[in-house]
Structure formats: C-alpha cells, structure tokens
C-alpha cells in the first residue's frame, strides 16, 4: 500500500489533481501518471468496472505512486469490501440519506477499532502477509495506518440527505461529502435542471454546513478531470474545426 496521495497533497495546502475514469483502461492510468496526476478515481456506480479491473488499476496506479479512489456501485458492505480489498484508498458512497446509512457506510470502510470492515487477503491488507504487515508494526498498526489513509465520502444527493445532514456529519470517521446535482434536482421536483438556482443555493448550504462541522467538501480537496468530459469537450472542438 502507498500513502494516500490526495491526503498528502492536501497536507501541503494544495488540491490533488485526479483523473476520472468511467471505464477501465490501464493505458490511460499510465498516461495520467506520465502527465503528473496525483490520483485516479473510478466511477463504478455508472461505469463498467469489475473487481478484476479495479485490481489491475490499483496495481498499475500504485506502481506509479498514484492513489486510487472509487464511487462504488452501491454502499453495501459487500461492494465496499470488494473494492477495498483490491487496494482502493477512498470510497464515495452514493445516496447517503440519514445517520444510520452514514454510520453503516463508515463502518464498512474502516477496519477495527474505528469501523467494522472485514479483514481480507488482497492488496488492501497487503495480502495478509505477516512479514509485510510487521513493517507497519503488525495487523493492528496496519489497520490504524490504512484507516488514516482512507477517504470516506458520503454523497448527498436528495432532499432527505439535506434534511438529515447535521446528523450525517456527526458520524465519527466520515471524512466529508460530495454532491449529486442531477439526483438532488429530481428529489425536489425539478428533474433535468441540475443548474437551477434552487440547486445551486441548496448545494451552497450543504457545503457551508459541512465546512462548519470541520468535514471535507470534495471540491475543496480535489480537482477532477474526467475522461468523458475531456473527450466530449476536446473531441467536439476538434471535429468542428475547419480543415
């Protein structure tokens, strides 16, 4: 395992540069490292990632010194554990609606004594190799180290999430939040309008409340360039240029 490069960059007073993927590509991971990105994020809620592809991405990215984070297909312990066992060092949990869901989410992401994450035998626990784990001081010290290097981000993307925000933010071990303007707009009766002034105002209130609780707002700690946005913007510009 490597030190979480997003957290390390933040400790230097800077935002981490993250390359976002919604499909697996080891070549793009390598190019991102070549360019100088700090981390890779895999959107597995809407992308086509398998545990095997996540394993490969973590292997290559970590080899280049890049942390890998992911939005999981759903925030169940099953999916979270599969991804963490591969070597993921940051989980975004979609559709966090209340305090109990937030607590269950945190418990799934953090190893005891801070959570209830199951101990596995993959890269995420250094293959359960006692000799390797002794470099950290043993399993307990490794658990404390990996918890310290884990980002646990709840996605607040509904009116219920906003109404329960204060209790969600009180959950110990939750690193912070991110938004979901499209789903948030739908939840308050204005589907298809993520840029509506009501959504912008509500997002502002959510973020300000989060900062007051000394929790992280994802946009405050990372700058993300997604492959889909990169392709659409630059690809369209390219094909529309006059020859």
């Amino acid at each position: 395992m490597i030190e979480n490069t997003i957290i390390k960059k933040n400790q230097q007073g800077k935002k981490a540069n993250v390359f976002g993927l919604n499909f697996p590509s080891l070549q793009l991971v390598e190019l991102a490292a070549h360019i100088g990105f700090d981390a890779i994020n895999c959107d597995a809620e809407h992308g086509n990632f398998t545990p095997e592809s996540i394993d490969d991405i973590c292997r290559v990215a970590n080899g280049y010194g890049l942390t890998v984070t992911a939005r999981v297909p759903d925030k169940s312990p099953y999916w979270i554990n599969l991804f963490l066992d591969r070597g993921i060092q940051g989980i975004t949990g979609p559709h966090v609606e209340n305090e109990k869901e937030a607590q269950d989410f945190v418990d799934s992401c953090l190893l005891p004594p801070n959570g209830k994450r199951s101990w596995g035998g993959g890269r995420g626990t250094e293959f359960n190799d006692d000799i390797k784990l002794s470099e950290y001081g043993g399993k307990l010290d490794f658990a404390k180290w990996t918890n310290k290097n884990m980002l646990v981000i709840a996605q607040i993307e509904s009116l219920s999430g906003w109404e329960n925000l204060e209790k969600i933010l009180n959950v110990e071990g939750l690193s912070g939040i991110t938004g979901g303007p499209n789903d948030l707009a739908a939840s308050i009766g204005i589907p298809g309008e993520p840029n509506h002034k009501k959504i912008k105002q509500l997002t502002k209130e959510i973020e300000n409340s989060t900062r007051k609780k000394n929790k992280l707002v994802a946009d405050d700690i990372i700058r993300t360039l997604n492959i889909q946005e990169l392709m659409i913007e630059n690809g369209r510009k390219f094909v529309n240029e006059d020859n």
Side-chain angles (χ1 to χ4, degrees):
M1 297 294 291
I2 65 171
E3 186 178 1
N4 190 309
T5 53
I6 297 174
I7 294 174
K8 185 176 181 179
K9 194 74 175 282
N10 296 160
Q11 290 172 342
Q12 298 169 1
K14 301 176 182 179
K15 289 185 179 182
N17 294 313
V18 178
F19 187 60
L21 293 174
N22 60 0
F23 57 85
S25 172
L26 299 182
Q27 291 87 350
L28 287 175
V29 171
E30 187 172 6
L31 282 171
H34 179 76
I35 292 167
F37 279 87
D38 300 300
I40 301 293
N41 181 70
C42 301
D43 183 1
E45 184 189 17
H46 295 290
N48 59 337
F49 294 92
T50 64
E52 292 83 2
S53 63
I54 292 293
D55 200 276
D56 287 339
I57 288 169
C58 287
R59 180 183 301 111
V60 173
N62 285 181
Y64 281 103
L66 277 64
T67 282
V68 185
T69 62
R71 177 164 64 168
V72 287
D74 68 60
K75 58 184 182 297
S76 66
Y78 169 79
W79 277 110
I80 291 173
N81 214 41
L82 276 180
F83 276 50
L84 295 182
D85 276 352
R86 311 280 76 75
I88 293 291
Q89 291 182 292
I91 294 286
T92 296
H95 307 289
V96 176
E97 304 269 326
N98 53 54
E99 182 182 14
K100 183 182 185 306
E101 290 185 2
Q103 184 63 66
D104 290 344
F105 172 51
V106 170
D107 284 342
S108 297
C109 292
L110 301 179
L111 287 164
N114 304 105
K116 299 178 181 179
R117 173 185 163 191
S118 177
W119 184 278
R123 182 179 298 97
T125 47
E126 295 283 12
F127 304 104
N128 203 26
D129 177 5
D130 286 337
I131 293 178
K132 181 64 178 178
L133 293 170
S134 69
E135 296 176 9
Y136 297 88
K139 288 185 176 179
L140 180 58
D141 285 329
F142 173 80
K144 293 176 180 178
W145 179 89
T146 198
N147 287 346
K148 183 179 178 181
N149 281 276
M150 186 65 61
L151 288 167
V152 184
I153 305 295
Q155 191 162 14
I156 307 300
E157 46 188 336
S158 70
L159 184 59
S160 295
W162 159 236
E163 291 173 342
N164 294 312
L165 182 64
E166 184 173 356
K167 291 182 178 180
I168 290 171
L169 294 173
N170 284 336
V171 173
E172 188 174 353
L174 183 71
S175 305
I177 62 98
T178 190
N182 285 290
D183 288 349
L184 183 59
S187 79
I188 66 171
I190 49 174
E193 298 189 58
N195 294 316
H196 193 284
K197 63 180 181 180
K198 288 183 180 179
I199 299 302
K200 290 183 177 181
Q201 180 60 36
L202 189 53
T203 297
K204 183 178 180 180
E205 292 176 13
I206 290 171
E207 291 180 349
N208 286 340
S209 296
T210 300
R211 295 183 186 105
K212 287 178 182 178
K213 287 284 190 176
N214 293 317
K215 300 285 189 180
L216 300 173
V217 173
D219 286 345
D220 290 345
I221 65 169
I222 61 174
R223 297 169 66 243
T224 302
L225 179 64
N226 291 305
I227 182 58
Q228 186 172 355
E229 297 168 350
L230 179 67
M231 182 60 186
I232 290 173
E233 181 178 346
N234 289 283
R236 182 170 286 128
K237 180 180 178 182
F238 175 80
V239 300
N240 288 333
E241 287 178 347
D242 291 331
N243 290 325

